[in-house]
Amino acid sequence: MATEKEFLSEYRLSDYERPSVTADVAAFMIRSEENSSYRRNPENKLSLLLIKRGGHPFKGMWALPGGFLQSDETVEECALREIKEETDVLPVSIMPVGVFSRPDRDPRGWIISSVYVSIIGDESVKQVAMDDASDAQWFNVSFEKDGGGGYHLELSYEDIVLNAVLTEESSGFGRTFFSIKDSGSLAFDHAAMIASAITALRRAAESYDTIFDFLPEEFTLSAFQKVQETILNTSFQPANFRRMVSRYVEETGSFVRGQGHRPAKLYRRKKQ
Amino acid sequence: MATEKEFLSEYRLSDYERPSVTADVAAFMIRSEENSSYRRNPENKLSLLLIKRGGHPFKGMWALPGGFLQSDETVEECALREIKEETDVLPVSIMPVGVFSRPDRDPRGWIISSVYVSIIGDESVKQVAMDDASDAQWFNVSFEKDGGGGYHLELSYEDIVLNAVLTEESSGFGRTFFSIKDSGSLAFDHAAMIASAITALRRAAESYDTIFDFLPEEFTLSAFQKVQETILNTSFQPANFRRMVSRYVEETGSFVRGQGHRPAKLYRRKKQ
DNA sequence: CAAATAGTGTCTCTAAGACAATATCAC
DNA sequence: GTGATATTGTCTTAGAGACACTATTTG
């Protein structure tokens, strides 16, 4: 009878066929768009990083950034590494969305993907000024229920518009997965990944913790509110929103001036 | 310049080293334990299925059921298959917990594991009367915060008691991961998997949907309440619990009699 | 002054917690 | 009757939504 040490010295993993494993990341950013009137606060848009595929398969189509898992890292580390490579920014937060593993999901062969949501915060954004000719671009995101039980995902960047249609497949346990009716020129099963990622992001954004990752150190309550409204695609009464978040923030003492209206107090996150 | 078809016909995945992929499942069941007094309703215990390892590594230690992913199935299907093999029951629900992928987590080599929670409902339980000599057993579960910021996991079956100690590692986005201080004779990193699984289960049980998977078609509100209390490790005022769930259930018209106290109405889940 | 946001106060409504009281059975 | 659970009702409190009102700035 072999000891564990003897067993391991002779053990070979080659008995089983092995899949390739990738990590794909849905990296979100909030973009502020300056407004016409000097008085108006900037509008916010939720945007998502996509990469134009340079090679086969799905050549020329848009896809989530991602790459193959290496044997010296965890899947989370792989996801973070991919984002860093594409944006030069290391995200604060990363959240698992699910494993996409249908055997036919990749025409190259048996490749399963672990998908993450990440948030690129406001501070970092300034460094991420992307070259217009680059293969990596931030797309504006719209994701809504359409009339007949389906969902419509629209991603747009300048004159490029990707339209995908999905239906809810399973939603037990607070997670939602989608099946693709029309992939809208997104590569692989990435339309479904993006839909799941947005659902997970919105769910997480209901607790305010997540929102802070999108904000700079010091922020106004209006900015805070706009970010949450942008993610959740809803709106709040300012008075109620202030009351709701008051537990989580504290005043810094400084103000934002020069905006054509009453100066706003700056707040920071309150450490519990 | 090659077409996509030409590209794929020549593409080989062999450039990258590939990990083995497994699915491990934390399958929970609620066990009713008959009480001393004929009047008293049965007590509930949350229990978890563990398998005693027959071979190296970790021979003789207890582990979650699981197995290698096959190339004709998704990871979810693999998880369901493993549960079916061990219990002969196909669970109603399955929920992803996370991917465990530290390169050193398995002494046999590079093996990453996707972990799921599943629930074995009351109906099925009768078929799962396990042989006492079997390698598969249902362990009573206790998982609580200890004084100093750590967590204590206790799994017990007859005279076997496994005690693991863990600390919270990351808990962003409503998911919690743990690092192992003392594995308590659980194989691999399964103590951390179990801790994450229980956390995910409790979180899900806060919405009543999950609870129904533990209940038979027709149930009393006390039974419903006890199941939720068992999972969440809390207690409610019966009056308040009834009010809280009234939206989700409807009366069947029948009663449970012969219990030494007022007969209880039977309810069923209300379809929305 | 006009336009815009910043900020406060208050009413209402709903859901949850606490708790008292009654109903009904098997033995 | 006793001991147990089943069931109903009511008071209170916390939090969210609606909304009216005031404050402050820049051009």
mmCIF file of all heavy atoms in Angstrom, chain B residues 147-172:
data_model
loop_
_atom_site.group_PDB
_atom_site.id
_atom_site.type_symbol
_atom_site.label_atom_id
_atom_site.label_comp_id
_atom_site.label_asym_id
_atom_site.label_seq_id
_atom_site.Cartn_x
_atom_site.Cartn_y
_atom_site.Cartn_z
ATOM 1 N N GLY B 147 -15.388 34.739 18.533
ATOM 2 C CA GLY B 147 -15.121 36.049 19.126
ATOM 3 C C GLY B 147 -14.230 36.939 18.274
ATOM 4 O O GLY B 147 -14.612 38.055 17.925
ATOM 5 N N GLY B 148 -13.070 36.453 17.876
ATOM 6 C CA GLY B 148 -12.035 37.319 17.325
ATOM 7 C C GLY B 148 -12.025 37.489 15.822
ATOM 8 O O GLY B 148 -10.990 37.315 15.187
ATOM 9 N N GLY B 149 -13.129 37.781 15.193
ATOM 10 C CA GLY B 149 -13.128 38.060 13.771
ATOM 11 C C GLY B 149 -13.015 36.831 12.884
ATOM 12 O O GLY B 149 -13.032 36.929 11.670
ATOM 13 N N GLY B 150 -12.889 35.648 13.488
ATOM 14 C CA GLY B 150 -12.785 34.430 12.713
ATOM 15 C C GLY B 150 -14.131 33.724 12.621
ATOM 16 O O GLY B 150 -15.132 34.174 13.149
ATOM 17 N N TYR B 151 -14.115 32.617 11.892
ATOM 18 C CA TYR B 151 -15.321 31.824 11.761
ATOM 19 C C TYR B 151 -15.014 30.389 12.158
ATOM 20 O O TYR B 151 -13.920 29.873 11.914
ATOM 21 C CB TYR B 151 -15.834 31.849 10.321
ATOM 22 C CG TYR B 151 -16.437 33.152 9.925
ATOM 23 C CD1 TYR B 151 -15.635 34.217 9.537
ATOM 24 C CD2 TYR B 151 -17.814 33.341 9.935
ATOM 25 C CE1 TYR B 151 -16.189 35.436 9.178
ATOM 26 C CE2 TYR B 151 -18.372 34.543 9.574
ATOM 27 C CZ TYR B 151 -17.557 35.586 9.194
ATOM 28 O OH TYR B 151 -18.101 36.784 8.831
ATOM 29 N N HIS B 152 -16.004 29.750 12.744
ATOM 30 C CA HIS B 152 -15.832 28.366 13.160
ATOM 31 C C HIS B 152 -16.846 27.496 12.434
ATOM 32 O O HIS B 152 -18.054 27.746 12.498
ATOM 33 C CB HIS B 152 -16.011 28.260 14.690
ATOM 34 C CG HIS B 152 -15.826 26.874 15.195
ATOM 35 N ND1 HIS B 152 -16.505 26.362 16.281
ATOM 36 C CD2 HIS B 152 -15.025 25.881 14.748
ATOM 37 C CE1 HIS B 152 -16.135 25.112 16.476
ATOM 38 N NE2 HIS B 152 -15.243 24.791 15.565
ATOM 39 N N LEU B 153 -16.336 26.499 11.741
ATOM 40 C CA LEU B 153 -17.183 25.565 11.005
ATOM 41 C C LEU B 153 -17.113 24.209 11.677
ATOM 42 O O LEU B 153 -16.023 23.658 11.849
ATOM 43 C CB LEU B 153 -16.687 25.460 9.555
ATOM 44 C CG LEU B 153 -17.296 24.375 8.671
ATOM 45 C CD1 LEU B 153 -18.768 24.648 8.388
ATOM 46 C CD2 LEU B 153 -16.526 24.255 7.355
ATOM 47 N N GLU B 154 -18.258 23.697 12.091
ATOM 48 C CA GLU B 154 -18.265 22.367 12.704
ATOM 49 C C GLU B 154 -19.186 21.456 11.918
ATOM 50 O O GLU B 154 -20.346 21.787 11.681
ATOM 51 C CB GLU B 154 -18.728 22.444 14.162
ATOM 52 C CG GLU B 154 -18.703 21.079 14.843
ATOM 53 C CD GLU B 154 -19.081 21.148 16.326
ATOM 54 O OE1 GLU B 154 -18.331 21.783 17.084
ATOM 55 O OE2 GLU B 154 -20.125 20.591 16.696
ATOM 56 N N LEU B 155 -18.649 20.311 11.511
ATOM 57 C CA LEU B 155 -19.427 19.313 10.785
ATOM 58 C C LEU B 155 -19.399 18.034 11.610
ATOM 59 O O LEU B 155 -18.326 17.550 11.978
ATOM 60 C CB LEU B 155 -18.798 19.068 9.410
ATOM 61 C CG LEU B 155 -18.702 20.319 8.530
ATOM 62 C CD1 LEU B 155 -17.745 20.108 7.375
ATOM 63 C CD2 LEU B 155 -20.081 20.684 8.006
ATOM 64 N N SER B 156 -20.593 17.499 11.906
ATOM 65 C CA SER B 156 -20.609 16.300 12.750
ATOM 66 C C SER B 156 -21.564 15.241 12.221
ATOM 67 O O SER B 156 -22.649 15.540 11.726
ATOM 68 C CB SER B 156 -20.987 16.668 14.183
ATOM 69 O OG SER B 156 -22.268 17.245 14.204
ATOM 70 N N TYR B 157 -21.094 13.998 12.309
ATOM 71 C CA TYR B 157 -21.922 12.848 11.955
ATOM 72 C C TYR B 157 -21.601 11.746 12.955
ATOM 73 O O TYR B 157 -20.472 11.261 13.016
ATOM 74 C CB TYR B 157 -21.621 12.386 10.524
ATOM 75 C CG TYR B 157 -22.048 10.978 10.253
ATOM 76 C CD1 TYR B 157 -23.406 10.669 10.184
ATOM 77 C CD2 TYR B 157 -21.118 9.962 10.085
ATOM 78 C CE1 TYR B 157 -23.810 9.370 9.958
ATOM 79 C CE2 TYR B 157 -21.514 8.669 9.838
ATOM 80 C CZ TYR B 157 -22.860 8.370 9.788
ATOM 81 O OH TYR B 157 -23.250 7.079 9.574
ATOM 82 N N GLU B 158 -22.598 11.430 13.767
ATOM 83 C CA GLU B 158 -22.397 10.477 14.856
ATOM 84 C C GLU B 158 -21.156 10.862 15.645
ATOM 85 O O GLU B 158 -21.109 11.979 16.167
ATOM 86 C CB GLU B 158 -22.376 9.042 14.325
ATOM 87 C CG GLU B 158 -23.771 8.735 13.755
ATOM 88 C CD GLU B 158 -23.985 7.279 13.387
ATOM 89 O OE1 GLU B 158 -23.030 6.487 13.396
ATOM 90 O OE2 GLU B 158 -25.152 6.935 13.086
ATOM 91 N N ASP B 159 -20.137 10.003 15.743
ATOM 92 C CA ASP B 159 -19.008 10.388 16.599
ATOM 93 C C ASP B 159 -17.881 11.069 15.827
ATOM 94 O O ASP B 159 -16.824 11.364 16.388
ATOM 95 C CB ASP B 159 -18.474 9.167 17.374
ATOM 96 C CG ASP B 159 -18.110 8.038 16.423
ATOM 97 O OD1 ASP B 159 -18.580 8.095 15.264
ATOM 98 O OD2 ASP B 159 -17.372 7.127 16.821
ATOM 99 N N ILE B 160 -18.131 11.336 14.543
ATOM 100 C CA ILE B 160 -17.114 12.058 13.770
ATOM 101 C C ILE B 160 -17.395 13.560 13.853
ATOM 102 O O ILE B 160 -18.497 14.001 13.518
ATOM 103 C CB ILE B 160 -17.145 11.637 12.286
ATOM 104 C CG1 ILE B 160 -17.008 10.122 12.174
ATOM 105 C CG2 ILE B 160 -16.060 12.357 11.510
ATOM 106 C CD1 ILE B 160 -17.244 9.611 10.785
ATOM 107 N N VAL B 161 -16.434 14.341 14.308
ATOM 108 C CA VAL B 161 -16.606 15.792 14.381
ATOM 109 C C VAL B 161 -15.430 16.463 13.690
ATOM 110 O O VAL B 161 -14.269 16.210 14.037
ATOM 111 C CB VAL B 161 -16.690 16.281 15.839
ATOM 112 C CG1 VAL B 161 -16.924 17.787 15.860
ATOM 113 C CG2 VAL B 161 -17.805 15.565 16.573
ATOM 114 N N LEU B 162 -15.729 17.293 12.679
ATOM 115 C CA LEU B 162 -14.684 18.032 11.977
ATOM 116 C C LEU B 162 -14.795 19.497 12.364
ATOM 117 O O LEU B 162 -15.877 20.087 12.265
ATOM 118 C CB LEU B 162 -14.858 17.888 10.458
ATOM 119 C CG LEU B 162 -15.055 16.461 9.940
ATOM 120 C CD1 LEU B 162 -15.347 16.476 8.452
ATOM 121 C CD2 LEU B 162 -13.846 15.607 10.245
ATOM 122 N N ASN B 163 -13.700 20.060 12.833
ATOM 123 C CA ASN B 163 -13.694 21.457 13.250
ATOM 124 C C ASN B 163 -12.714 22.254 12.405
ATOM 125 O O ASN B 163 -11.517 21.993 12.438
ATOM 126 C CB ASN B 163 -13.284 21.567 14.711
ATOM 127 C CG ASN B 163 -14.453 21.280 15.634
ATOM 128 O OD1 ASN B 163 -15.411 22.043 15.667
ATOM 129 N ND2 ASN B 163 -14.391 20.156 16.337
ATOM 130 N N ALA B 164 -13.216 23.236 11.677
ATOM 131 C CA ALA B 164 -12.337 24.071 10.865
ATOM 132 C C ALA B 164 -12.444 25.515 11.336
ATOM 133 O O ALA B 164 -13.492 25.940 11.825
ATOM 134 C CB ALA B 164 -12.704 23.977 9.388
ATOM 135 N N VAL B 165 -11.344 26.248 11.183
ATOM 136 C CA VAL B 165 -11.313 27.656 11.551
ATOM 137 C C VAL B 165 -10.910 28.469 10.327
ATOM 138 O O VAL B 165 -9.956 28.114 9.622
ATOM 139 C CB VAL B 165 -10.311 27.901 12.700
ATOM 140 C CG1 VAL B 165 -10.303 29.378 13.081
ATOM 141 C CG2 VAL B 165 -10.675 27.057 13.903
ATOM 142 N N LEU B 166 -11.652 29.540 10.075
ATOM 143 C CA LEU B 166 -11.401 30.341 8.880
ATOM 144 C C LEU B 166 -11.454 31.818 9.200
ATOM 145 O O LEU B 166 -12.027 32.224 10.209
ATOM 146 C CB LEU B 166 -12.459 30.036 7.822
ATOM 147 C CG LEU B 166 -12.628 28.567 7.464
ATOM 148 C CD1 LEU B 166 -13.969 28.048 7.944
ATOM 149 C CD2 LEU B 166 -12.488 28.350 5.988
ATOM 150 N N THR B 167 -10.861 32.612 8.331
ATOM 151 C CA THR B 167 -11.036 34.058 8.445
ATOM 152 C C THR B 167 -11.548 34.592 7.115
ATOM 153 O O THR B 167 -11.286 34.018 6.058
ATOM 154 C CB THR B 167 -9.715 34.778 8.785
ATOM 155 O OG1 THR B 167 -8.710 34.355 7.863
ATOM 156 C CG2 THR B 167 -9.268 34.452 10.184
ATOM 157 N N GLU B 168 -12.278 35.701 7.218
ATOM 158 C CA GLU B 168 -12.844 36.329 6.030
ATOM 159 C C GLU B 168 -11.719 36.945 5.229
ATOM 160 O O GLU B 168 -10.891 37.676 5.779
ATOM 161 C CB GLU B 168 -13.815 37.408 6.483
ATOM 162 C CG GLU B 168 -14.894 37.710 5.490
ATOM 163 C CD GLU B 168 -15.938 38.635 6.108
ATOM 164 O OE1 GLU B 168 -16.519 38.277 7.144
ATOM 165 O OE2 GLU B 168 -16.136 39.716 5.541
ATOM 166 N N GLU B 169 -11.698 36.664 3.950
ATOM 167 C CA GLU B 169 -10.601 37.166 3.126
ATOM 168 C C GLU B 169 -11.049 38.366 2.302
ATOM 169 O O GLU B 169 -10.461 39.426 2.358
ATOM 170 C CB GLU B 169 -10.112 36.052 2.214
ATOM 171 C CG GLU B 169 -8.832 36.396 1.523
ATOM 172 C CD GLU B 169 -8.267 35.173 0.824
ATOM 173 O OE1 GLU B 169 -8.851 34.802 -0.201
ATOM 174 O OE2 GLU B 169 -7.286 34.573 1.321
ATOM 175 N N SER B 170 -12.087 38.189 1.528
ATOM 176 C CA SER B 170 -12.604 39.298 0.750
ATOM 177 C C SER B 170 -14.104 39.151 0.708
ATOM 178 O O SER B 170 -14.634 38.048 0.650
ATOM 179 C CB SER B 170 -12.041 39.268 -0.670
ATOM 180 O OG SER B 170 -12.618 38.198 -1.381
ATOM 181 N N SER B 171 -14.791 40.271 0.748
ATOM 182 C CA SER B 171 -16.239 40.146 0.794
ATOM 183 C C SER B 171 -16.891 41.231 -0.037
ATOM 184 O O SER B 171 -17.997 41.620 0.227
ATOM 185 C CB SER B 171 -16.743 40.207 2.220
ATOM 186 O OG SER B 171 -16.735 41.545 2.660
ATOM 187 N N GLY B 172 -16.188 41.713 -1.054
ATOM 188 C CA GLY B 172 -16.787 42.706 -1.919
ATOM 189 C C GLY B 172 -17.980 42.121 -2.653
ATOM 190 O O GLY B 172 -18.106 40.902 -2.787
#
